[in-house]
Amino acid sequence: MTWYPWLSAPYRQLVGQYQSGRGHHAMLMHAANGMGDAALVYGLSRWLLCQHQDGEKSCGKCHSCQLMIAGNHPDWHVLMPEKGKNSLGVDPVRQLIETLYNYSQQGGAKVVWVPEAELLTEAAANALLKTLEEPPAKTYFLIGCRETSGLLATLRSRCFYWHLPTPDEVPTTQWIGRQLNADPVAIKTALRLSNGTPLAALALLQPERWKQRMALCQQLTTSCQQRDMLSLMIQLNHDDVADRLQWLCSLLLDAIKWQQNAGQFIINHDQQPLIAQIAGLQANDALQKSVQAWMHCRQQLLTIIGVNRELILTEQLLEWDMSLSEFRSDSSLSGTRVSPA
């Protein structure tokens, strides 16, 4: 499994806790998507299962390490939904708990990795509670999550909460620059669009994906110039609509910052002319309402099963177009206009 430089310090911190006897048997690791936390959990699991630990490193030579390298260690259990399902039910959890109360097959520790605790059904989460509170000897639970708000409070209370922080922007920019030949401004933009997570930024910068974002920005520029927001449909109506709406909302938020003379805080550094253009289309309060409306639209598309995507997008684009028309009308009557910062 690929190791990433920003994981080294957190790895040493976690291993140090277990070396000193302060490591918790159940750790809730809160990490954003794109941080490579699976690699961190794998490295920690190898150390916990290693039969001849070399300080803060696993030896890489013992039978346990060889089994981990081969990907078939019998005492390393990964709880994930079955293929084609988006939730983790109670039956696999019960089967795992029964297994954990048997002796370790390698005579050492047992480690359970739950990559996304949010996918546990309520019944599955409840089934884990007693084992988390009173686990079998030398059994460790490493429980990952993207958001803690959706987890049962009783599950959170039985775990040691640990957050994997995003790395600093400068070294991350340098690391991405070594992986991919990209413009530094594009790298900075991709990182900020990805909330500082390196792997998500690297994925966004892949040529085909970056081209899709640039096409959306170009179409938005044309739509603003022609005062025809409905023409933006061609760039929004795709299966990855949630990502595209995130890009759109980030541009609108940047326009709000631009109006308030806070251009140094914008996200889309490669789109400053477009941001200035958007900033001149609506007053600040109207722009804020537009952002809220598009975020609500995005939430609908993510959460309502069977929703008509094209209809939802069309309604929102028409409302946005109407809002822009009203602002132009008000501006012409008052003889004022919004100037970019």
Side-chain angles (χ1 to χ4, degrees), residues 251-269:
L251 288 162
L252 296 179
L253 286 168
D254 281 347
I256 292 172
K257 298 170 191 173
W258 194 272
Q259 288 181 347
Q260 296 177 338
N261 296 315
Q264 68 271 30
F265 299 111
I266 64 173
I267 292 174
N268 299 273
H269 281 266

Side-chain angles (χ1 to χ4, degrees), residues 29-339:
M29 182 184 292
H30 182 190
N33 185 38
M35 283 296 297
D37 47 303
L40 178 59
V41 170
Y42 173 81
L44 180 58
S45 298
R46 268 188 61 172
W47 185 87
L48 289 169
L49 292 165
C50 180
Q51 296 164 342
H52 304 290
Q53 294 160 347
D54 181 15
E56 61 186 27
K57 296 181 180 179
S58 51
C59 71
K61 300 176 183 178
C62 69
H63 187 52
S64 185
C65 282
Q66 292 301 308
L67 287 171
M68 283 294 285
I69 292 170
N72 55 9
H73 197 298
D75 296 318
W76 191 47
H77 307 277
V78 182
L79 263 181
M80 295 180 66
E82 296 178 8
K83 188 175 181 180
K85 293 186 177 181
N86 56 8
S87 65
L88 182 55
V90 68
D91 289 340
V93 173
R94 287 174 175 164
Q95 292 170 9
L96 171 65
I97 291 172
E98 185 178 340
T99 301
L100 293 176
Y101 280 96
N102 296 326
Y103 287 107
S104 164
Q105 294 193 39
Q106 291 301 305
K110 290 168 282 187
V111 179
V112 178
W113 167 225
V114 185
E116 293 185 71
E118 301 96 323
L119 301 183
L120 288 165
T121 63
E122 186 174 349
N126 282 322
L128 266 180
L129 294 181
K130 182 171 174 47
T131 308
L132 286 176
E133 190 168 2
E134 299 177 5
K138 298 183 69 175
T139 300
Y140 301 94
F141 289 86
L142 306 177
I143 302 175
C145 70
R146 300 297 179 222
E147 294 291 340
T148 59
S149 58
L151 303 181
L152 290 178
T154 45
L155 178 68
R156 297 198 304 268
S157 67
R158 285 164 172 77
C159 300
F160 169 73
Y161 173 83
W162 192 83
H163 178 250
L164 178 61
T166 54
D168 293 337
E169 188 174 276
V170 172
T172 306
T173 299
Q174 295 170 347
W175 179 82
I176 293 176
R178 293 193 293 269
Q179 315 303 312
L180 188 70
N181 183 20
D183 180 73
V185 176
I187 294 176
K188 184 176 183 179
T189 299
L191 263 175
R192 296 194 174 186
L193 282 169
S194 305
N195 297 316
T197 56
L199 300 184
L202 186 62
L204 176 56
L205 283 164
Q206 296 303 311
E208 186 59 34
R209 190 60 172 155
W210 194 248
K211 182 179 177 182
Q212 291 168 356
R213 174 184 169 271
M214 295 301 291
L216 173 67
C217 293
Q218 181 57 53
Q219 183 59 56
L220 181 56
T221 299
T222 303
S223 298
C224 291
Q225 290 170 346
Q226 298 177 351
R227 303 295 194 267
D228 176 19
M229 307 318 291
L230 197 58
S231 63
L232 197 57
M233 174 67 80
I234 192 172
Q235 289 298 330
L236 293 179
N237 192 20
H238 292 266
D239 290 340
D240 62 343
V241 63
D243 291 338
R244 292 172 186 250
L245 289 181
Q246 181 193 356
W247 299 341
L248 175 60
C249 287
S250 73
L251 288 162
L252 296 179
L253 286 168
D254 281 347
I256 292 172
K257 298 170 191 173
W258 194 272
Q259 288 181 347
Q260 296 177 338
N261 296 315
Q264 68 271 30
F265 299 111
I266 64 173
I267 292 174
N268 299 273
H269 281 266
D270 63 337
Q271 296 296 325
Q272 294 191 36
L274 173 57
I275 292 167
Q277 185 179 18
I278 298 170
L281 289 177
Q282 287 181 287
N284 192 270
D285 59 342
L287 260 177
Q288 292 184 41
K289 289 178 181 178
S290 293
V291 172
Q292 292 171 356
W294 278 114
M295 290 177 70
H296 177 67
C297 175
R298 182 176 184 271
Q299 186 66 14
Q300 285 182 301
L301 293 170
L302 283 172
T303 58
I304 301 177
I305 298 174
V307 68
N308 187 322
R309 183 175 70 206
E310 185 172 359
L311 179 61
I312 292 287
L313 290 172
T314 300
E315 289 178 349
Q316 184 53 44
L317 285 168
L318 287 173
E319 286 183 16
W320 195 20
D321 212 342
M322 186 179 300
S323 172
L324 294 175
S325 297
E326 289 174 355
F327 176 70
R328 288 196 298 271
S329 176
D330 291 343
S331 297
S332 63
L333 289 173
S334 62
T336 60
R337 60 188 296 270
V338 175
S339 300

